[in-house]
Amino acid sequence: MAALFGAIADDFTGATDLAGLLARSGARVSLRIGVPKEPESDPAPFEVIALKIRTEPVSQAVEQALAALDWLQGAGVTRFFWKYCSTFDSTPDGNIGPVAEALMHKLGAKQTTYCPAFPENGRSIFMGNLFVGQQLLAESPMKDHPLTPMRDSNLMRLLQPQVTGEVGLVDRLTVANGATALRKALDTGPRHVILDAVANSDLTTIAKACRDELLMTGGSAVAMPLPDLYRKDGLLNDDGAETSFNPPAGKGIILSGSCSAMTQAQVKAYQKIGPSFRLNPIELNSGGIEPVLEWLGAQTTTPLVYATAAPDQVRAAQEQLGTEKAGALIEDTLAQIAVAARGMGVRRFVVAGGETSGAVTKALAVSRLDIGPEIAPGVPWCSAQSGGEKVALALKSGNFGNEDFFQTAMQMVDVT
Ligand code: ADP
């Protein structure tokens, strides 16, 4: 079956978030890490390509997005989605607008829509203004983001400097009147249309009205209703049967490089039930990774290797080694441990941390993740090929999951 829907995501965890939400419907979803070098003979109906272009120079972001579009078209995709963050992370230069315009141009699309709303996570849009919980975007912590500080909450004002075409709004009063009313408003609307949405029902209305557009853009949530709509339209004949997830036999490991508050609690919870080894960047810098590899070889139940530490410990390491070096040392070490563990028969990997997940998947040479069941919202088990072996991977970004996440994840694949 050819791919039906293809998404281009501007970062890795945004791509997993979208892939996970699409897979909730039971549809088969594949996540590609970067643009695959080869065409795909067996694409999934839903293909998501993870790029890392949120803060790249505009020309490079556009080039990579067009390469992704090319690959998706080759896989048979006819409906495209440009995925960015639900807080519209961008600068006056881009990259949300320039990439959208480049994709529109290549596809011959006369119009596209913008809906970053994610009501379940507190992102809503009213009269074109984006809210984070009860705060306007520009009054939320996003105003101090190191790379993309968001100092305006009005999406029309944020988008207009990024595009050449006209920007307009279809507001909640129209969206609340349903898909037919929205479609009518869009048919006479400008080239770039911001869409208000404050509740999941608004997203369903938007998905209904826009499901056959060449290009939709937004956060992950507005894409969530699409698989069911395509099923009803007779475009997707899968009965959810294609998604069966069969974790490979083998051992498990948990690798944690995230220092977020939730990951700290998850590490503490797992330490009560399983063996763990703490990586200290200062010791690693002088002693290397032999001690942890030796320890790993001696474990008989699923081990946790973690660098997760409280802010004062992280600061101490950063002061001694430099922030970048401390981070890179941990990421490299966890990546090397993942490869060594695979050599020891490990086939089920739980990884905590967005950057850490990037480093580990790269070291394991994983280029495609087939999305399986969700362990926690936004964190699915995935199947992949690594070094000629089938492996299962769960990639958790910082604050996701409950305290017992590690245990729950391993129980789902029967390893404790
Ligand atoms: P999150 O998803 O929680 O943001 P990331 O993996 O994206 O997690 O980022 C955490 C960063 O902190 C990584 O670069 C990691 O290498 C670094 N790090 C982890 N533990 C330590 C530590 N003990 N000292 C210094 N840096 C650390």
Side-chain angles (χ1 to χ4, degrees):
M1 187 175 172
L4 169 66
F5 171 94
I8 301 165
D10 70 352
D11 84 339
F12 185 84
T13 39
T16 43
D17 173 17
L18 172 63
L21 290 187
L22 290 167
R24 267 190 198 175
S25 66
R28 192 154 73 90
V29 183
S30 266
L31 171 62
R32 316 278 169 167
I33 300 167
V35 183
K37 293 194 174 51
E38 304 292 331
E40 174 62 65
S41 56
D42 178 31
F46 292 82
E47 289 281 348
V48 179
I49 297 186
L51 299 179
K52 199 170 181 302
I53 56 171
R54 183 167 297 163
T55 53
E56 288 291 286
V58 173
S59 60
Q60 286 172 35
V62 164
E63 194 183 318
Q64 287 189 48
L66 289 176
L69 178 69
D70 222 38
W71 186 89
L72 290 169
Q73 283 181 311
V77 169
T78 48
R79 291 159 180 80
F80 298 86
F81 192 88
W82 164 222
K83 155 77 177 74
Y84 40 81
C85 190
S86 60
T87 42
F88 211 72
D89 300 19
S90 54
T91 69
D93 292 333
N95 287 334
I96 293 176
V99 168
E101 276 197 325
L103 297 174
M104 286 171 81
H105 182 73
K106 182 83 191 295
L107 290 167
K110 291 195 170 53
Q111 184 183 61
T112 193
T113 51
Y114 298 78
C115 186
F118 195 160
E120 273 181 59
N121 281 353
R123 274 49 155 175
S124 55
I125 310 165
F126 187 67
M127 296 301 157
N129 293 291
L130 182 56
F131 290 82
V132 176
Q134 296 185 344
Q135 290 176 311
L136 279 162
L137 175 66
E139 291 165 21
S140 77
M142 281 305 295
K143 70 180 185 307
D144 300 317
H145 191 280
L147 303 175
T148 50
M150 302 307 289
R151 300 275 162 82
D152 195 345
S153 311
N154 184 287
L155 292 174
M156 285 84 79
R157 280 198 303 261
L158 287 168
L159 182 61
Q160 189 64 76
Q162 299 185 29
V163 293
T164 54
E166 191 191 339
V167 176
L169 170 71
V170 176
D171 70 28
R172 174 90 207 297
L173 304 181
T174 300
V175 174
N177 283 335
T180 311
L182 171 56
R183 190 64 260 161
K184 215 166 142 199
L186 285 171
D187 286 344
T188 54
R191 217 167 144 68
H192 303 275
V193 183
I194 309 285
L195 296 174
D196 271 359
V198 299
N200 274 343
S201 57
D202 297 331
L203 298 179
T204 306
T205 300
I206 292 168
K208 265 189 192 151
C210 301
R211 66 187 190 277
D212 290 325
E213 289 295 292
L214 276 170
L215 177 68
M216 290 172 71
T217 88
S220 53
V222 72
M224 194 165 48
L226 291 172
D228 282 339
L229 291 169
Y230 292 148
R231 269 195 198 104
K232 283 192 193 124
D233 291 341
L235 294 166
L236 183 64
N237 310 305
D238 60 355
D239 301 325
E242 291 180 83
T243 53
S244 57
F245 167 77
N246 296 311
K251 295 189 265 186
I253 193 169
I254 303 160
L255 300 167
S256 178
S258 158
C259 297
S260 75
M262 182 45 81
T263 309
Q264 292 193 47
Q266 289 160 342
V267 165
K268 282 208 182 83
Y270 191 78
Q271 283 174 320
K272 292 190 189 134
I273 59 149
S276 63
F277 188 104
R278 174 171 171 243
L279 296 175
N280 176 341
I282 298 166
E283 285 168 18
L284 273 176
N285 192 41
S286 52
I289 74 163
E290 274 314 309
V292 57
L293 292 182
E294 208 171 295
W295 176 84
L296 212 54
Q299 300 313 307
T300 51
T301 54
T302 302
L304 160 68
V305 180
Y306 68 101
T308 309
D312 54 334
Q313 290 169 309
V314 173
R315 247 190 322 273
Q318 289 174 335
E319 271 164 22
Q320 194 158 335
L321 301 171
T323 303
E324 211 165 295
K325 181 162 182 201
L329 197 60
I330 296 293
E331 285 172 34
D332 286 353
T333 303
L334 288 170
Q336 285 180 55
I337 292 171
V339 175
R342 187 186 60 196
M344 295 175 193
V346 169
R347 297 290 177 265
R348 301 152 186 215
F349 299 80
V350 172
V351 187
E355 293 298 323
T356 310
S357 295
V360 168
T361 44
K362 195 166 173 206
L364 289 175
V366 167
S367 59
R368 169 181 184 167
L369 295 165
D370 287 314
I371 309 296
E374 258 182 328
I375 306 157
V379 200
W381 267 112
C382 306
S383 317
Q385 287 291 327
S386 168
E389 301 289 345
K390 188 178 172 204
V391 297
L393 286 163
L395 308 171
K396 184 193 86 79
S397 79
N399 278 314
F400 283 15
N402 295 328
E403 283 192 16
D404 58 0
F405 177 86
F406 294 146
Q407 194 184 354
T408 308
M410 284 306 179
Q411 276 169 350
M412 274 176 76
V413 291
D414 267 329
V415 184
T416 41

